[in-house]
Amino acid sequence: MSISLRGPDGGNGLLVAGLLLTGVFFSIAVLAPAISPHDPLRVSMTQRLAAPLDPEFPLGTDQLGRCVLSRLFHGARVTFGAVFSVLLLTFCLGTAAGCISGYSGGRVDALLLRVTDGMMAFPALILALAIAGILGPGLGSVIAALAAVQWVAYFRTVRNLVASLKERPYVAAAKISGAAPAALLGRHLLPKVFPILAVFSTLQFGRIILSVSALSFLGLGAQPPFPEWGAMLSEAKTYMQTAPHLFLLPGLFIALSVLGVHLTGMGLQKNLGERQKGYF
C-alpha cells in the first residue's frame, strides 16, 4: 500500500508535512541552548567515542568526548544562521538586479545577462569553492562566496517575471497615467513577483544548506571547535568504521532538514498553481 503526502487539496499534504519537519529543525536551532544536555564545546577525553544510548549522552560522544546531541543542536544554529545570511544577501542583490534588468531592457539588460551567462558557465559550487578558497577559511568566507554565486538564480527569476509583467495592460495604463518606474515596480510588479519568490526561496534554502555543509566539509566553513553539520561530517570521516554514528547523525540531520524545506516548497508551488512551475 502506497502512502501519498499529497492531500485532496493539491499540495496541502506536502505543505503540512514540510512545515512540520521544518518546524522541528527551526525549533531545535532557536532552542538549542535550552534543550542541549551539555556544553557542545566541553572536552572529556575519558568519555570519548561513547556509543549512542549512553545514559549521560543520548547520541554518544565524539573523538574528544563532546556530546554529539548538543553539537547537532548547536550545529543547527550555525548552519541555519549561515543559510539565512546567504538567502538574505542573494534575495536582495538578485531581486534588485533583476528588477533593473527586466524593467530597463536594452543595453543594461544585455550587459547583466552576459555577466550572469558567464557566471552560469561554471558549476555554482566549484565557483563558490574557488572564491571561498581565495577569501580563506571561515563561515564568513562561505557566506560571501555563496552569496556571490547564488544571486544569479534570483536575478534570472526576477528578470524574466518583470520583463513579462511590464507588458501587461494594467502596467501600460499606469505608465500612461504618469507613474514613475519606482512606483510601477513597487505597486504593480513586485506584489506579483514576491509570492513566486517566496516559493523559490524555500527551494533555495535546501540547496544552500547542502552548499554550506559541503564547503564546511572541505574545511572552508566553520572552524573547530565550533559545531556545524558539514564540519562534523569532516571530523567524523576518520571514525566511520569505529564510530559510524559520528558520520551518520550529521548526515541524517542535513538530509531531513533539506527534505523538510523541499516538501514545503513543493507544497507552496502546488498551491501557487501549475502554470508557474517553469520558474522553479
Side-chain angles (χ1 to χ4, degrees):
M1 181 177 65
S2 63
I3 299 175
S4 175
L5 289 172
R6 188 175 178 181
D9 297 326
N12 286 346
L14 290 171
L15 184 59
V16 170
L19 287 174
L20 287 174
L21 190 54
T22 303
V24 169
F25 281 98
F26 279 137
S27 299
I28 288 173
V30 172
L31 301 174
I35 63 177
S36 297
H38 299 280
D39 180 351
L41 303 181
R42 184 177 70 87
V43 174
S44 176
M45 296 305 291
T46 59
Q47 296 172 307
R48 64 190 299 269
L49 299 180
L53 303 181
D54 183 276
E56 187 177 354
F57 302 101
L59 294 183
T61 60
D62 64 8
Q63 70 278 10
L64 297 178
R66 299 171 296 192
C67 176
V68 172
L69 181 61
S70 300
R71 290 181 66 77
L72 286 170
F73 284 172
H74 281 79
R77 292 171 67 88
V78 176
T79 301
F80 282 9
V83 172
F84 271 119
S85 298
V86 173
L87 201 62
L88 180 61
L89 289 171
T90 55
F91 179 90
C92 293
L93 181 58
T95 301
C99 286
I100 293 170
S101 181
Y103 187 83
S104 300
R107 293 182 178 180
V108 173
D109 185 35
L111 175 62
L112 288 171
L113 284 174
R114 296 294 80 76
V115 171
T116 55
D117 284 344
M119 295 181 65
M120 293 175 68
F122 300 93
L125 190 58
I126 300 300
L127 190 56
L129 177 63
I131 296 172
I134 293 170
L135 295 176
L139 205 56
S141 298
V142 166
I143 292 171
L146 289 174
V149 172
Q150 296 288 348
W151 72 273
V152 174
Y154 277 97
F155 166 81
R156 285 284 182 172
T157 302
V158 174
R159 183 262 173 200
N160 292 339
L161 286 169
V162 170
S164 174
L165 290 170
K166 74 176 184 179
E167 305 299 333
R168 300 290 175 89
Y170 65 88
V171 178
K175 285 181 181 179
I176 294 172
S177 67
L184 284 172
L185 285 168
R187 294 177 186 175
H188 300 289
L189 298 179
L190 287 179
K192 302 288 186 181
V193 171
F194 279 145
I196 295 174
L197 287 185
V199 182
F200 186 75
S201 296
T202 306
L203 297 173
Q204 280 291 95
F205 196 96
R207 298 178 186 123
I208 297 172
I209 289 176
L210 292 174
S211 297
V212 169
S213 299
L215 293 176
S216 292
F217 178 83
L218 296 173
L220 294 171
Q223 299 299 298
F226 297 104
E228 194 279 330
W229 292 342
M232 292 176 68
L233 281 173
S234 181
E235 293 175 357
K237 60 181 182 288
T238 308
Y239 303 92
M240 287 183 64
Q241 293 185 345
T242 56
H245 66 283
L246 297 181
F247 196 84
L248 294 175
L249 291 172
L252 181 63
F253 269 57
I254 292 171
L256 290 177
S257 62
V258 172
L259 176 63
V261 293
H262 190 68
L263 289 176
T264 302
M266 289 176 63
L268 289 172
Q269 182 179 339
K270 294 288 186 183
N271 288 328
L272 196 59
E274 295 289 330
R275 62 189 176 83
Q276 291 166 331
K277 268 187 176 180
Y279 291 110
F280 306 105

